Amino acid sequence: MSPHTTRRWAWIHKWSSLVCTIFMLLLCLTGLPLIYHHEISHAMGYETEAPAMAADTPRANVDEVIAVAKALYPGKIMMYMSQEADEPNIWNLTLGDHPTDTNFKPVAIDARTAKVLAQHNFEDTFLGVMFHLHVDLYAGLWGKLFLGFMGLLLVVAIVSGVVLYAPFMRKLDFGTVRRDRAPRLKWLDMHNLLGIVTLVWALVVGATGMINTWADLLLKYWQFTEMAEMVAPYKNLPPPASLASMDDSMQRALAAEPGMKIGFVAFPGTPFTSAHHYGIFMRGDQALTSRLYKPVLVDAQTAQVTDNRELPWYLTALLISQPLHFGDYGGQAMKLLWALLDIATIIVLGSGLYLWLKRGAAAPAAAEAALPAAALEGLSK
């Protein structure tokens, strides 16, 4: 690689790293507790558990479950209801003043007895704060897009760091940390070593995080294309005067997709369906397929299935990227691996800041010339 090309890659690596590092540190710090969100919620008393009952205990009529939730909040309407893959005995319902209400009320109800189990509001918890700082900085769509741009800069920094790393390491064995040299040089070696070790993980998490920030835009695109096609016959019809039985609607959705389970239901007017339909999203029962959904549209007035089809590739890619980003689909071993790699990346980012702040200190010229080779967040240039 010519000196001119090296300088160009060094400039790209330097500024992509400098711009995104503070935000990447924030994302790594807030992402760490989110890896263990189930465990933390349980420890803090926010994880709702269904009472132990016989496996053959009959399930309550879903309409009764909805009636119990609406009795808690008279005047509010149903927005969503869902079940976690690992907790099928609890219905999680959200109610609001209108279909897109952001100040919604959550209710967890036993699917067998129709009794209220909890009314925890995730927004008010420690994990709720961590989630918003990690996802949108409390700035909605613009916050997501900004963090997505930071994720893009991270990917650029990783790629440029890899390009620069090989020539830098020609003079050293892999993994060398020159402990007998100046502290700054020792930190540079540690920075490069951890950077290259966490390279693949950081690239995967950075890329999937960037994809996740496009969720709102991808959903809007789906609404204006495939969803519009699915509900085209209802385009000029008035909203339904009354809503059909949700229990009947679910049974017909299950019959339309045998072998699948109900993941969540979007009520008329919410972003996942139309003003005339229940959007019943079916899922598989395996580690991966439980994260993938297939929409079944049910006429909210007649309870008849009107359309069901696979999600487009871009929403499937989004759904796959979400669990991969947090590492929460492979059990405790994968969570531990994700946590350790997250901590290593925090050290890489922190050491990069240290090297940048100490850049004015005396250092061997050769080391200074090699600084662009930091593999992830080389802020020492």
Side-chain angles (χ1 to χ4, degrees):
M1 189 162 51
S2 68
H4 176 72
T5 302
T6 300
R7 284 194 297 269
R8 181 182 300 172
W9 279 108
W11 185 91
I12 293 172
H13 183 70
K14 171 183 178 179
W15 289 107
S16 61
S17 300
L18 279 174
V19 172
C20 75
T21 291
I22 294 298
F23 296 99
M24 289 302 107
L25 266 174
L26 172 66
L27 294 179
C28 285
L29 290 169
T30 56
L32 190 57
L34 292 176
I35 295 173
Y36 289 99
H37 65 279
H38 282 302
E39 291 80 1
I40 294 174
S41 293
H42 181 77
M44 299 180 70
Y46 290 116
E47 188 79 4
T48 305
E49 296 182 357
M53 295 184 185
D56 59 351
T57 301
R59 299 171 70 83
N61 186 289
V62 178
D63 296 318
E64 182 183 352
V65 172
I66 293 174
V68 170
K70 294 180 74 172
L72 289 175
Y73 299 104
K76 294 190 180 294
I77 63 171
M78 283 292 303
M79 297 172 62
Y80 300 99
M81 62 187 306
S82 64
Q83 287 185 320
E84 297 289 343
D86 58 352
E87 187 49 275
N89 293 320
I90 296 178
W91 281 113
N92 298 293
L93 300 86
T94 55
L95 301 90
D97 293 324
H98 52 82
T100 56
D101 190 358
T102 56
N103 190 30
F104 54 81
K105 301 297 183 182
V107 185
I109 297 180
D110 194 307
R112 302 153 301 178
T113 63
K115 292 183 178 180
V116 176
L117 298 176
Q119 294 173 254
H120 299 311
N121 192 337
F122 177 76
E123 300 290 312
D124 298 332
T125 66
F126 164 75
L127 287 176
V129 174
M130 294 296 101
F131 179 80
H132 277 292
L133 290 176
H134 191 85
V135 170
D136 62 7
L137 297 175
Y138 283 96
L141 176 60
W142 290 110
K144 291 180 181 180
L145 295 178
F146 175 79
L147 290 178
F149 180 62
M150 293 299 105
L152 176 61
L153 290 181
L154 173 65
V155 172
V156 171
I158 291 172
V159 172
S160 58
V162 170
V163 172
L164 292 164
Y165 184 77
F168 170 70
M169 289 304 295
R170 285 174 185 163
K171 299 178 181 179
L172 296 172
D173 294 330
F174 178 80
T176 297
V177 177
R178 291 166 286 185
R179 303 179 185 277
D180 57 338
R181 305 293 292 275
R184 188 168 182 271
L185 189 58
K186 181 171 63 177
W187 272 108
L188 171 62
D189 289 341
M190 183 65 69
H191 178 83
N192 287 341
L193 174 60
L194 288 177
I196 206 66
V197 168
T198 59
L199 169 68
V200 174
W201 180 85
L203 187 60
V204 168
V205 171
T208 54
M210 180 175 62
I211 293 172
N212 289 337
T213 65
W214 302 338
D216 291 351
L217 297 179
L218 294 177
L219 179 60
K220 288 289 185 185
Y221 181 74
W222 178 67
Q223 289 175 314
F224 284 112
T225 53
E226 293 202 24
M227 174 61 75
E229 180 183 332
M230 294 169 75
V231 302
Y234 293 80
K235 184 175 181 181
N236 297 316
L237 297 180
S242 59
L243 296 180
S245 163
M246 175 54 68
D247 199 84
D248 290 345
S249 299
M250 286 185 175
Q251 293 305 318
R252 292 180 182 181
L254 288 167
E257 295 294 339
M260 301 191 77
K261 299 180 179 180
I262 294 173
F264 74 94
V265 178
F267 282 72
T270 54
F272 289 89
T273 187
S274 76
H276 303 89
H277 292 84
Y278 294 130
I280 302 180
F281 287 76
M282 314 298 291
R283 60 170 177 80
D285 57 2
Q286 302 300 314
L288 179 61
T289 59
S290 66
R291 307 285 183 150
L292 302 178
Y293 295 100
K294 184 174 184 179
V296 176
L297 292 187
V298 177
D299 189 306
Q301 189 162 316
T302 66
Q304 298 296 317
V305 174
T306 64
D307 205 337
N308 56 315
R309 60 179 69 180
E310 301 288 344
L311 286 176
W313 66 268
Y314 52 87
L315 286 183
T316 299
L318 174 66
L319 291 171
I320 291 175
S321 72
Q322 289 175 342
L324 187 59
H325 183 72
F326 288 107
D328 60 354
Y329 67 92
Q332 291 300 321
M334 189 168 186
K335 287 185 179 183
L336 177 60
L337 176 62
W338 247 236
L340 292 175
L341 289 169
D342 186 285
I343 292 170
T345 303
I346 290 172
I347 296 173
V348 172
L349 296 168
S351 61
L353 278 177
Y354 166 79
L355 292 167
W356 170 254
L357 293 173
K358 293 291 186 179
R359 67 193 183 283
E368 194 67 30
L371 293 181
L376 270 180
E377 304 302 327
L379 302 183
S380 54
K381 285 69 77 182

